[in-house]
Amino acid sequence: GIEFNSVDEIYCHHKHPKQWHGGDRYGNLVLVTNTVHKLIHTYDKNEVVYLLRKAKIKDLTQLEKLNLFRKKACRKPIDANIFLNL
């Protein structure tokens, strides 16, 4: 739901990691911002808070979508309370 302003912001993310047989097929790829890509993969709670603010995620629907990507990357979901307390 976020528009890209420049090519430098775009990251092509593998929905299912390549090392777990996700591959480079079109259906396994999604374009996200670099900030969202970092949010998908980070473990650090302070970095999550910083990146949520930077990504300008505005509602729980966007957080749920982000958490689906995190789940596929074998990361714990971001707690909605962290998001709501920003």
Side-chain angles (χ1 to χ4, degrees):
I2 299 169
E3 290 185 24
F4 298 111
N5 293 315
S6 73
V7 175
D8 296 334
E9 295 178 340
I10 299 173
Y11 191 93
C12 188
H13 172 70
H14 290 85
K15 295 176 188 176
H16 297 281
K18 288 174 72 172
Q19 64 265 34
W20 295 316
H21 309 290
D24 289 329
R25 66 187 189 285
Y26 181 78
N28 190 44
L29 303 173
V30 63
L31 297 179
V32 296
T33 65
N34 288 322
T35 302
V36 169
H37 189 253
K38 290 176 187 173
L39 271 167
I40 292 169
H41 291 287
T42 189
Y43 290 102
D44 184 84
K45 183 179 176 181
N46 291 328
E47 188 174 9
V48 166
V49 170
Y50 168 76
L51 291 170
L52 282 171
R53 287 184 178 128
K54 186 176 178 182
K56 299 178 184 172
I57 293 177
K58 297 176 181 144
D59 58 45
L60 289 174
T61 302
Q62 289 177 325
L63 181 64
E64 289 171 8
K65 188 173 181 181
L66 172 62
N67 279 332
L68 288 174
F69 287 129
R70 286 181 61 88
K71 181 179 179 182
K72 290 177 184 178
C74 295
R75 303 294 186 268
K76 290 181 181 178
I78 296 169
D79 189 321
N81 290 323
I82 291 174
F83 171 75
L84 294 171
N85 290 321
L86 289 179

